[in-house]
Amino acid sequence: MSVINDTLKALELRGGRGALPKAVNVPASQSGRRPLPRVALLLVVLLIAVAWAWWPTVARLLANAPVEPVVEAHDVAVEPVAEVHQAAVESVAEVTETVLADDASSEASPAAPTVAVEPVTPPQPAPPTEPMAEPVAQVVPAPEHKPEAKPEPEPKPEAKPEAKPEPAEPQLAIQQSPLSPAEQARQLWQQAQQADNPEPMLEQALALDPHLHPARLALIERLSQRGEGDDLLLSAARDYPQQAAYPVLAAELALAAGDNTLAEQWLSWSQRLVPEPDWRARRAVVAQQLGWLELASEDYLALLNAEPMRGTWWFGLGYARDAGRDLNGAETAYRKALASTDLSQQAREFVRDRLTVLENR
């Protein structure tokens, strides 16, 4: 500020002396080259003053300048800032005029003619372009490729020892048989004939086939030995009235017990039926013992029709005729019995004795 005040005072003094001519031809002499260093100094001062005056503005612009991101850094163009602060320009002009006036007044001497030097306005330097800060390209860091963590193998669970199942209680496995129930019952009946204790097999056979009458008859006979077969025998005779074997067995049991009346009742019941060959032979024996000779002869003849060479049947027929006083018929039957091969030795002796008596009658 002191420089500006001094400059103003110098201008006031110049105004009292009168106006200077605008153009003066200065001879080319040694004294005319002296102002050159001062001009350089003046330019330096001028640049310093301009920089000092502009610095707050430049700092403010730098602080407020927006940075625009540019995708490619090598394509960024620097644009000059054309705005010049008007106040700074006016202050620089005033300083320049003051310095030139002061310089001219100091160089004037009494011996030299007064030379009015037209103030030379130095070429106003173009305002320095404020370089825009090159925006730094936003560098997006490439994603780091972290090695994929391999999944750790899961630990296998320890195999627990399998609990051994408790052994199941043995059960009777009944396998299906390809045989029918009737065939199985008959098979059990055949096995019971050779067993020491056939009763369980007989009962099982009857459970499979209730119509297996030989098995029931065998079971009744075994129970009758202990005096326990009467109920089963009566129920069988009522349930199967067409089976002659049940009354024949009942007649035998009654005869063995000494009850001839009951035996004859059962024999009369069986007389209306046709028993199997084995039971027909047994009925003939019961009828012979009870004196039913006609029934006995009929049964033996029926048996001989089926088996004419059977010596036992001829012996039975001869005995029934002999007891019935049919001596000729008895002699014929006895001779047929001796001709057979299946007659027992005791029966042969009885037949020979009876033939001797019959021949000598």
Side-chain angles (χ1 to χ4, degrees), residues 317-334:
L317 179 60
Y319 184 85
R321 287 177 178 178
D322 191 5
R325 308 309 292 175
D326 185 4
L327 300 179
N328 293 329
E331 184 179 357
T332 305
Y334 284 146

Side-chain angles (χ1 to χ4, degrees), residues 39-82:
V39 172
L41 181 61
L42 180 61
L43 292 175
V44 173
V45 173
L46 179 61
L47 291 175
I48 292 172
V50 170
W52 178 76
W54 279 17
W55 176 249
T57 304
V58 172
R60 187 168 60 255
L61 292 175
L62 289 176
N64 297 331
V67 179
E68 296 181 0
V70 181
V71 177
E72 297 183 1
H74 61 275
D75 292 339
V76 176
V78 180
E79 296 181 0
V81 180

